[in-house]
Amino acid sequence: MKRQIVTFAAVGVINTATYYCLYLLFLTWLPYLAAHILAFLLSMIGSFFLNARFTYRTPPTWRKFLLFPLTNATNFLITTAGVYVIVDVLHAGSRFAPLLASAAAIPVTFVVSRWVMLPRSIA
């Protein structure tokens, strides 16, 4: 499990960088929430394949692919609420809001993704 946690963290860094680059790209022509949602969805697809291959060393299947968004449901809710609070409530800039908001959801995402990718193991 230690290797999985380390690999999950590395995939998370790659996923976060991908998400953030896409977010900044989309932010040039979309409102920040739309940019956040689109970047999040695209990076989640990449995260599924990276985690299947490198973190859990399991073949990607349609079942896992269709269940994988559950692993990000909590992440999505926490980061979306966090982005909203940081930008609209605290009146901070929208460029770094997603990075700050995403940190709290990482442990929950690992536990749920392990459950989806390795259904017979206990997360």
Side-chain angles (χ1 to χ4, degrees):
M1 177 141 34
K2 184 177 179 179
R3 183 200 57 79
Q4 288 178 351
I5 292 170
V6 170
T7 307
F8 183 81
V11 168
V13 168
I14 293 166
N15 185 52
T16 300
T18 301
Y19 160 80
Y20 191 58
C21 289
L22 289 171
Y23 174 76
L24 291 177
L25 174 70
F26 297 146
L27 193 59
T28 62
W29 53 278
L30 291 173
Y32 76 90
L33 278 177
H36 163 68
I37 291 167
L38 185 57
F40 190 93
L41 290 173
L42 292 173
S43 65
M44 184 174 60
I45 292 169
S47 178
F48 168 76
F49 288 105
L50 290 173
N51 276 303
R53 172 71 173 99
F54 298 107
T55 303
Y56 303 111
R57 297 180 181 173
T58 185
T61 65
W62 279 108
R63 179 186 177 279
K64 292 173 188 172
F65 182 76
L66 294 174
L67 288 175
F68 194 74
L70 295 175
T71 69
N72 288 297
T74 300
N75 183 308
F76 180 77
L77 293 173
I78 291 170
T79 57
T80 301
V83 167
Y84 173 79
V85 168
I86 291 167
V87 174
D88 284 344
V89 176
L90 300 176
H91 304 291
S94 60
R95 293 181 63 83
F96 295 107
L99 297 176
L100 298 172
S102 66
I106 292 169
V108 174
T109 304
F110 173 75
V111 170
V112 178
S113 82
R114 191 167 194 276
W115 175 77
V116 167
M117 301 301 264
L118 302 173
R120 290 189 173 90
S121 68
I122 297 174

